[in-house]
Amino acid sequence: MTKVSMNVNGKKVSRDVPDETLLSDFLREKLRLTGTHVGCDTSQCGACVVHVNGKAVKSCTTLAVSLEGAEVTTIEGLANGKELHPMQVAFNDNHGLQCGFCTPGMIMTSVDMVARYKAEGRKLTSDLIRQELEGNICRCTGYHNIVKSIEDASAKM
Ligand code: FES
Ligand code: FES
């Protein structure tokens, strides 16, 4: 067992965990933050994406004990109180929610994507959005409404 402490959604948390504990299990089972989903467990589907120190990572292949002192944000921490994040609003407005299981990971990836392109002063086209989403698998509709949602949020963020 190793004691690990990190800030999750702005709150300091500490737990004793086996060294092999994955961040996804830490969030879901230790903290009951079940908005982070596990679809594949092999780093392919993206349902488990959260932010670590502001960057999107797959929590199913990140060890919790490697994140001592890290800032972690999950889908539960994205809204500002009752005010949804612009990406959440855009997914709602453009019906990007689709099946729902993948949505938290899609949104966390999308927020990182838009922030990264804005920081680099690069234009985020729909082709680039599709490329950037390669780590998030959607099996339901071919991404159309997800791409529309990200374009909408990108104009507002
Ligand atoms: S559960 Fe992590 S990428 Fe699928
Ligand atoms: S959003 Fe989940 S399969 Fe498409």
Side-chain angles (χ1 to χ4, degrees):
M1 288 281 199
T2 299
K3 185 181 177 98
V4 63
S5 303
M6 59 183 92
N7 284 305
V8 179
N9 299 334
K11 274 210 306 223
K12 184 162 184 197
V13 299
S14 294
R15 296 286 188 281
D16 289 311
V17 293
D19 290 354
E20 66 274 20
T21 303
L22 298 169
L23 178 60
S24 49
D25 292 335
F26 183 79
L27 295 170
R28 290 180 55 83
E29 289 166 24
K30 300 287 178 195
L31 305 183
R32 306 306 296 160
L33 292 169
T34 54
T36 299
H37 296 150
V38 177
C40 67
D41 225 355
T42 50
S43 206
Q44 294 171 68
C45 75
C48 65
V49 172
V50 299
H51 292 177
V52 173
N53 298 327
K55 298 222 172 337
V57 302
K58 289 182 170 172
S59 63
C60 74
T61 38
T62 303
L63 292 173
V65 296
S66 71
L67 298 182
E68 179 64 32
E71 296 284 338
V72 177
T73 306
T74 69
I75 191 71
E76 290 91 344
L78 202 57
N80 181 10
K82 291 197 171 153
E83 193 186 322
L84 291 177
H85 187 281
M87 191 63 74
Q88 292 173 302
V89 173
F91 267 67
N92 188 32
D93 289 350
N94 294 278
H95 199 59
L97 300 155
Q98 306 187 162
C99 86
F101 190 85
C102 331
T103 303
M106 293 277 184
I107 289 178
M108 299 310 280
T109 294
S110 304
V111 170
D112 170 78
M113 183 195 311
V114 171
R116 207 162 11 91
Y117 275 73
K118 285 199 185 286
E120 292 168 2
R122 295 170 65 201
K123 186 170 161 44
L124 188 55
T125 63
S126 63
D127 281 350
L128 286 169
I129 291 173
R130 285 175 184 276
Q131 265 178 41
E132 290 279 347
L133 279 176
E134 68 176 2
N136 291 74
I137 296 175
C138 171
R139 297 179 174 93
C140 61
T141 70
Y143 297 87
H144 295 302
N145 290 345
I146 294 169
V147 173
K148 271 201 311 202
S149 304
I150 298 169
E151 286 180 310
D152 185 15
S154 179
K156 293 171 184 161
M157 273 168 70

